[in-house]
């Protein structure tokens, strides 16, 4: 096993997901399979090849610095699960930005 | 300074600068400060699915400017990256930033310490990124309130090499960056409002050691003097730990400005995994030669260039020139005065003396000053022509002018009768009066206490209500005393 249970828990934590018991075992096997598949790619000779990051040679088109206010505060807050008349409301998180 | 001085501090700074654009980095919502919460947002800055970011030209140009000003190498092929973490003030779940292709590489910040010592601090990189929203934790008992007006504001992060050794050097470094962003007009440099923010990585090691000690990151320093205070405190704290054979813990600490101390915010458990990967929504930005040329051409004069010009063209002393250029608006005001007069040294003295004194007393910036450079130039010519003397110009004309700023100094001098009296018979009468009032002092003068002449001149000036010319009064007093 190259993907340990702890590794699954660590990845799950980073993705704000939770797996235990059977689910965890299944996820562990899936991740293992993904890793095996990716390892096949390691066999390909990429010597001297630039990594392919973008599909195509497109460059960014820069935008002109102009203010366009597209939506109102009410519209902005509309889909929030919890809100008041001015703010989005979220549960308090004690520990910093992790 | 470390009291025992057996340790040396190693400090690196990270400075976040909010770029003064009109709209955000990747969307068109406004970034104006102080708007009502959540009124300056868009589907892009709120991270709605299906939206596509587009980078703001002005943000790229302003970021290039600071790189050019700090002698960095500008990266031509710029990739964007996603820095992934979950926090409520980051609606997308990732921050658009740069990872392996920062816009600016290398460069240096030349600082001057209060003792006159100069040092060059190397830069690691400057990269482009976006700001987060603002969370308010103390407004409500159960919920955190989030305002996304700031989310997506264009930022640059300036990262220094760990070349800084003391709180004083850090102070000078941040001051220089702030002055520069103000000169370039890319940020107002307001640390209280958070448009310029500074984090410090501080570690200490025994002097002579080549390895680094455990690094502590200090945050929440909302003024330049707090950067210095926090670092000085942190150095002392770490030295005390090492002295008592303890271990410094790698952690993030906040700064308490009231107590002047740092406190633990969170431990660093391993390296946080941000899982950076190339931002698929933004193709790379290529900086062309033409873009570099046009950005360079649009750059205002930098402080160090202005300094050389002020000393060379106007013959100002290094001290006068550096005091003037310390603030861009003061320097510009000075230049406007000297476009009307050749009295360079006097113009500099007025800007750094009476004008700055008045502005400081009233907590104003020179851009809010009611008097025009033409009016100040007029005062200078009045003095030069001998129509008024310096004392009555600063003590009488200047305050009157501030009360009636729509008048020209020349009119006011006439109205108030401030013209210096050179008529010697008038002054002679005053001198005889004064000497008559102080017979014993006159005797002391005659017995050799010549310093008393200052007293007599001062009394005459008082009686003339500042109209007497100090120089000729001085001569006359001496002459009359010697005759008597």
């Amino acid at each position: 096993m190259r993907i340990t249970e702890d590794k699954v828990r660590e990845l799950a934590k980073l993705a704000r997901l939770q797996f235990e018991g059977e689910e965890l075992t299944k996820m562990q096997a899936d991740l293992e399979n993904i890793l095996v598949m990716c390892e096949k790619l390691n066999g390909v000779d990429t010597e001297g090849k630039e990594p392919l990051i973008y599909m195509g040679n497109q460059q960014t088109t820069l935008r002109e610095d102009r203010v366009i206010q597209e939506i109102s505060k009410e519209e902005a807050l509309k889909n929030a699960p919890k809100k008041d008349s001015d703010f989005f409301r979220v549960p308090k998180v004690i520990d910093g930005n992790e | 300074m470390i009291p025992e001085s057996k340790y040396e501090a190693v400090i690196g700074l990270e400075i976040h600068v909010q770029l003064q654009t009109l709209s955000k980095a990747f969307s068109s919502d406004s970034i104006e400060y102080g708007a009502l919460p959540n009124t300056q947002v868009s589907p892009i800055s709120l991270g709605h699915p299906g939206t596509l970011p587009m980078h703001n030209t002005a943000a790229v140009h302003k970021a290039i400017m600071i790189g050019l000003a700090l002698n960095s190498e500008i990266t031509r092929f710029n990739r964007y990256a996603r820095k992934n973490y979950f926090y409520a003030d980051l609606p997308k779940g990732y921050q658009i930033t740069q990872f392996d292709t920062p816009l600016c590489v290398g460069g240096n910040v030349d600082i001057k310490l209060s003792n006159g010592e100069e040092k060059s601090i190397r830069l690691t990189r400057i990269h482009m990124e976006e700001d987060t929203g603002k969370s308010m934790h103390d407004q409500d008992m159960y919920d955190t309130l989030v305002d996304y007006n700031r989310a997506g504001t264009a930022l640059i992060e300036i990262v220094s090499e760990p070349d800084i050794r003391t709180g004083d050097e850090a102070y000078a470094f941040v001051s220089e960056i702030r002055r520069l962003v103000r000169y370039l007009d890319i940020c107002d440099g307001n640390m209280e409002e958070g448009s310029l923010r500074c984090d410090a990585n501080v570690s200490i090691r025994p002097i002579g050691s080549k390895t680094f000690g455990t690094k502590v990151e200090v945050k929440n320093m909302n003024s330049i003097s707090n950067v210095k205070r926090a670092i000085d405190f942190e150095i002392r704290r770490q030295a005390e730990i090492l002295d008592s054979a303890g271990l410094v813990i790698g952690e993030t600490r906040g700064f308490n400005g009231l107590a002047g101390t740092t406190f633990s915010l969170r431990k660093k458990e391993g390296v946080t995994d941000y899982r950076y990967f190339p931002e698929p929504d933004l193709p790379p930005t290529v900086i062309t030669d033409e873009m570099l040329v046009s950005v360079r051409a649009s750059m205002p004069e930098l402080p160090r260039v202005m300094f050389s010009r002020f000393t060379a063209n106007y013959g100002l002393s290094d001290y006068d020139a550096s005091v003037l250029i310390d603030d861009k608006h003061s320097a510009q005001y000075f230049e406007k005065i000297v476009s009307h007069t050749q009295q360079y040294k006097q113009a500099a003295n007025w800007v750094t003396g009476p004008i700055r004194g008045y502005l400081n007393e009233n907590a104003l910036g020179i851009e809010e000053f009611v008097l025009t450079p033409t009016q100040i130039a007029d005062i200078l010519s009045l003095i030069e022509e001998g129509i008024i003397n310096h004392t009555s110009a600063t003590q009488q004309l200047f305050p009157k002018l501030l009360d009636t700023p729509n008048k020209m100094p020349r009119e006011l001098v006439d109205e108030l009768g401030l013209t210096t009296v050179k008529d010697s018979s008038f002054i002679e009468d005053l001198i005889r009066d004064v000497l008559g009032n102080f017979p014993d002092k006159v005797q002391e003068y005659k017995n050799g206490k010549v310093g008393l002449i200052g007293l007599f001149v001062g009394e005459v000036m008082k009686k003339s209500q500042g109209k007497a010319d100090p120089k000729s009064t001085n001569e006359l007093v001496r002459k009359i005393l010697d005759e008597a």
Side-chain angles (χ1 to χ4, degrees):
Chain A
M1 273 293 166
R2 280 159 303 177
I3 298 272
T4 60
E5 285 194 7
D6 279 346
K7 192 71 189 174
V8 179
R9 287 201 185 91
E10 187 194 322
L11 292 171
K13 193 182 170 219
L14 284 171
R16 294 298 187 271
L17 296 170
Q18 225 174 4
F19 304 109
E20 280 311 327
E22 205 181 307
E23 263 189 331
L24 191 138
T25 321
K26 229 180 126 211
M27 189 56 68
Q28 196 178 354
D30 285 349
L31 287 171
E32 183 75 22
N33 278 335
I34 292 170
L35 210 61
V36 168
M37 191 196 80
C38 288
E39 264 168 9
K40 279 193 183 150
L41 297 176
N42 282 344
V44 181
D45 180 14
T46 55
E47 190 64 33
K49 296 263 187 298
E50 281 292 308
L52 177 70
I53 293 174
Y54 302 100
M55 302 295 142
N57 303 319
Q58 204 189 341
Q59 284 179 22
T60 271
T61 311
L62 295 175
R63 178 176 59 81
E64 191 194 336
D65 185 20
R66 204 152 51 93
V67 172
I68 305 165
Q69 193 57 49
E70 294 171 323
I71 57 167
S72 66
K73 179 179 74 180
E74 289 67 31
E75 285 172 307
L77 291 164
K78 201 172 150 196
N79 292 334
K82 197 171 183 191
K83 66 205 161 192
D84 57 33
S85 55
D86 291 319
F87 292 99
F88 291 81
R89 282 175 170 258
V90 298
K92 266 190 190 174
V93 184
I94 313 298
D95 191 40
N97 55 343
E98 245 204 81
Chain B
M1 280 315 235
I2 309 175
E4 300 79 10
S5 74
K6 29 176 208 216
Y7 303 109
E8 166 187 68
V10 176
I11 304 157
L13 296 180
E14 291 168 14
I15 299 184
H16 283 93
V17 177
Q18 272 184 356
L19 298 178
Q20 234 166 31
T21 50
L22 300 171
S23 61
K24 291 184 179 174
F26 300 106
S27 55
S28 299
D29 20 341
S30 169
I31 61 156
E32 207 177 314
Y33 186 80
L36 292 171
N38 294 304
T39 54
Q40 299 183 157
V41 290
S42 67
I44 295 175
S45 56
L46 291 174
H48 281 266
T51 55
L52 273 180
M54 255 183 112
H55 208 172
N56 184 339
T57 316
V60 178
H61 285 188
K62 285 170 196 280
I64 293 175
M65 268 191 200
I66 186 90
L68 291 176
L70 294 171
N71 313 313
S72 307
E73 193 179 316
I74 307 298
T75 302
R76 299 308 191 94
F77 186 82
N78 284 269
R79 275 196 292 269
Y80 300 89
R82 287 189 180 181
K83 178 182 180 178
N84 299 280
Y85 64 91
F86 287 106
Y87 199 63
D89 60 23
L90 187 76
K92 297 191 295 297
Y94 58 85
Q95 178 192 33
I96 302 179
T97 178
Q98 293 192 288
F99 185 58
D100 52 357
T101 61
L103 176 69
C104 312
V105 179
N108 56 281
V109 177
D110 296 331
I111 57 169
K112 200 167 186 177
L113 304 176
S114 46
N115 62 8
E117 213 177 288
E118 289 177 36
K119 189 170 171 181
S120 187
I121 308 293
R122 291 169 303 154
L123 294 180
T124 313
R125 59 187 277 166
I126 304 173
H127 63 258
M128 304 183 281
E129 57 185 31
E130 57 175 339
D131 212 344
T132 62
K134 256 185 198 158
S135 303
M136 275 150 276
H137 303 291
D138 51 2
Q139 306 281 308
D140 185 87
M141 194 122 80
Y142 306 104
D143 291 335
T144 290
L145 308 184
V146 195
D147 172 8
Y148 290 114
N149 281 350
R150 199 180 68 178
T153 299
L155 282 186
I156 48 170
E157 181 176 338
I158 303 172
V159 184
S160 88
E161 287 285 295
D163 286 351
I164 298 168
R165 293 288 170 270
T166 64
D168 282 324
E169 289 179 15
Y171 183 95
F173 182 89
V174 184
S175 303
E176 183 57 29
I177 294 283
R178 183 174 66 175
R179 185 170 75 164
L180 208 55
V181 297
R182 286 177 172 168
Y183 262 81
L184 294 171
D185 239 340
I186 64 176
C187 174
D188 63 14
N190 189 327
M191 290 189 75
E192 285 76 29
E193 288 176 5
S195 56
L196 191 139
R197 308 194 282 272
C198 177
D199 301 334
N201 287 306
V202 184
S203 67
I204 63 168
R205 61 185 175 190
I207 284 177
S209 165
K210 288 285 163 242
T211 51
F212 294 125
T214 306
K215 167 172 96 174
V216 170
E217 184 177 11
V218 188
K219 289 178 171 295
N220 313 342
M221 301 164 287
N222 63 352
S223 71
I224 298 186
S225 54
N226 278 350
V227 171
K228 176 179 146 52
R229 289 172 69 210
I231 289 173
D232 287 343
F233 175 83
E234 192 51 32
I235 293 171
R236 270 201 310 278
R237 188 186 70 88
Q238 293 182 18
E240 275 163 25
I241 293 176
L242 294 192
D243 277 346
S244 54
L247 282 177
V248 174
I249 303 166
E251 60 181 343
T252 302
R253 296 177 74 85
F255 179 65
N256 177 341
L258 282 178
T261 56
T262 63
F263 57 93
S264 182
L265 278 175
R266 54 182 179 271
K267 309 283 179 235
K268 295 214 163 161
E269 294 159 357
V271 182
T272 318
D273 190 353
Y274 289 120
R275 294 150 295 147
Y276 285 93
F277 66 85
E279 163 62 275
D281 285 347
L282 282 165
T285 289
V286 173
I287 310 296
T288 60
D289 289 347
E290 295 77 54
M291 214 191 264
L292 279 186
V293 169
S294 90
V295 170
R296 204 183 281 277
S298 69
M299 274 167 72
E301 189 174 30
L302 295 175
R304 58 170 178 267
V305 181
M306 203 177 249
F307 177 85
S308 323
R309 203 163 51 79
F310 278 15
T311 48
N313 296 8
Y314 301 130
L316 297 184
S317 66
D318 284 7
Y319 176 79
D320 283 343
S322 65
V323 171
L324 271 182
I325 62 161
D326 200 38
D327 170 53
K328 181 187 181 181
H329 298 286
S330 298
Q332 288 172 337
Y333 194 93
F334 165 78
E335 289 230 87
K336 286 186 191 142
I337 300 176
V338 299
S339 69
H340 300 287
T341 168
Q342 310 261 302
Q343 308 262 76
Y344 305 136
K345 167 78 182 153
Q346 283 72 10
N349 289 347
W350 270 80
V351 174
T352 58
I355 295 176
R356 188 163 289 186
Y358 166 80
L359 294 171
N360 287 348
E361 250 169 52
N362 294 282
L364 293 171
I366 199 160
E367 59 279 22
E368 301 160 281
F369 189 41
V370 288
L371 300 183
T372 63
T374 324
Q375 286 172 301
I376 303 299
D378 195 32
I379 298 180
L380 295 180
S381 9
L382 288 168
I383 299 173
E384 191 191 12
E385 292 162 27
I387 294 174
I388 54 170
N389 60 54
H390 181 78
T391 317
S392 55
T394 51
Q395 290 174 10
Q396 292 182 273
L397 180 58
F398 185 59
K400 279 284 175 216
L401 200 55
L402 288 166
D403 291 337
T404 49
N406 53 337
K407 296 213 167 149
M408 275 308 275
R410 211 167 279 271
E411 299 173 58
L412 263 186
V413 166
D414 292 340
E415 264 174 49
L416 301 168
L418 292 176
T419 314
T420 302
V421 177
K422 285 204 177 139
D423 171 9
S424 48
S425 69
F426 167 73
I427 297 171
E428 278 174 31
D429 287 347
L430 290 179
I431 293 173
R432 285 182 218 286
D433 273 2
V434 168
L435 297 184
N437 290 343
F438 295 97
D440 39 344
K441 297 282 178 202
V442 172
Q443 198 50 51
E444 285 177 44
Y445 175 88
K446 288 186 180 284
N447 292 343
K449 214 173 165 191
V450 288
L452 281 170
I453 188 142
L455 169 85
F456 302 133
V457 174
E459 285 299 314
V460 175
M461 294 296 295
K462 230 190 272 174
K463 273 190 184 289
S464 79
Q465 295 180 313
K467 285 192 247 174
D469 176 58
K471 210 172 139 209
S472 52
T473 305
N474 206 307
E475 285 161 16
L476 276 174
V477 170
R478 201 180 299 274
K479 192 176 133 224
I480 293 172
L481 277 168
D482 291 347
E483 282 166 2

